[in-house]
């Protein structure tokens, strides 16, 4: 039995997803969340196998929650289920640790198959999303390179340090810490600290 947590701020969407998944004998919806932080709490409490996560929700977006769940080492695999398919949205979700990125126009059978595939450890992507990722890889195939100082700063970010704490430990100003982080974000193609740590770990930089 594959245990599933639904995370979407629209009740009608959650009801529809539950109705679709409940018809499958091997899929069990064990909880619902209407925000990213609530999804994080339920994922820790219920330990689902799969989290179906909307990308944009109140009280914190889906990408931020995916990053925190990944950093916390939760065993669930997160599939983004959204209407958005911009390059930025896709890359941020994958870099944060998403195991899949699907669009809400998929059929019931396709959704069920994607959940099963993700539970087996596979990556599941909508065809248009996969095409976008391939195009991006063709343009930027190289591995990012961080300087020794940028790596040191990012390692302290991963340890949970604030910019002020990082500055004190490395004997540099807080403004210098911010500069290093901005350069790191640019090199990794991300826009926030959580995504930067996740991306760096995926590239073997931390």
């Amino acid at each position: 039995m594959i245990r599933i947590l639904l995370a979407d701020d629209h009740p009608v969407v959650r009801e529809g997803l539950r109705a679709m998944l409940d018809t499958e004998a091997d899929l069990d919806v064990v909880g619902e969340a209407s925000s990213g932080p609530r999804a994080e709490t339920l994922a820790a409490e219920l330990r689902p196998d799969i989290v179906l996560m909307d990308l944009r929700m109140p009280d914190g977006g889906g990408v931020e929650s995916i990053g925190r769940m990944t950093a916390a080492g939760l065993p669930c695999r997160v599939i983004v289920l959204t209407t958005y398919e911009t390059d930025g949205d896709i890359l941020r979700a994958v870099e944060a640790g998403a195991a899949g990125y699907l669009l809400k126009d998929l059929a019931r059978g396709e959704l069920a198959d994607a959940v099963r595939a993700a539970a087996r450890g596979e990556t599941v992507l909508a065809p248009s999303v996969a095409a976008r990722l391939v195009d991006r890889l063709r343009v930027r195939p190289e591995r990012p390179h961080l300087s020794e100082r940028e790596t040191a700063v990012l390692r302290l970010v991963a340890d949970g340090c604030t910019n002020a704490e990082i500055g004190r430990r490395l004997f540099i100003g807080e403004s210098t810490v911010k500069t290093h982080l901005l350069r790191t974000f640019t090199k990794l193609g991300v826009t926030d600290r959580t995504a930067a740590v996740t991306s760096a770990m995926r590239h073997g930089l931390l």
Side-chain angles (χ1 to χ4, degrees), residues 187-202:
K187 290 180 178 181
L188 296 177
V190 300
T191 58
D192 61 69
R193 295 159 65 98
T194 300
V197 170
T198 303
S199 178
M201 293 177 71
R202 284 181 176 276

Side-chain angles (χ1 to χ4, degrees), residues 175-198:
S175 60
T176 303
V177 173
K178 292 178 181 178
T179 298
H180 285 310
L181 283 175
L182 288 174
R183 288 175 180 167
T184 300
F185 291 173
T186 299
K187 290 180 178 181
L188 296 177
V190 300
T191 58
D192 61 69
R193 295 159 65 98
T194 300
V197 170
T198 303

Side-chain angles (χ1 to χ4, degrees), residues 45-65:
E45 292 177 356
L46 301 175
R47 307 301 250 192
D49 302 299
I50 299 292
V51 178
L52 287 176
M53 175 86 72
D54 189 16
L55 197 62
R56 301 181 185 179
M57 294 182 288
D59 301 322
V63 168
E64 290 76 13
S65 292

Side-chain angles (χ1 to χ4, degrees), residues 67-122:
R68 285 190 288 268
M69 285 190 283
T70 300
L74 294 180
C76 58
R77 292 173 60 80
V78 182
I79 301 174
V80 171
L81 186 61
T82 183
T83 57
Y84 304 99
E85 56 173 329
T86 66
D87 287 0
D89 287 329
I90 295 167
L91 287 171
R92 289 180 65 222
V94 172
E95 287 166 348
Y101 197 109
L102 302 174
L103 303 179
K104 288 182 177 178
D105 60 356
L106 80 173
R108 182 185 71 187
E110 294 173 326
L111 177 60
D113 288 343
V115 168
R116 295 184 183 105
R120 292 194 299 267
E122 300 174 22

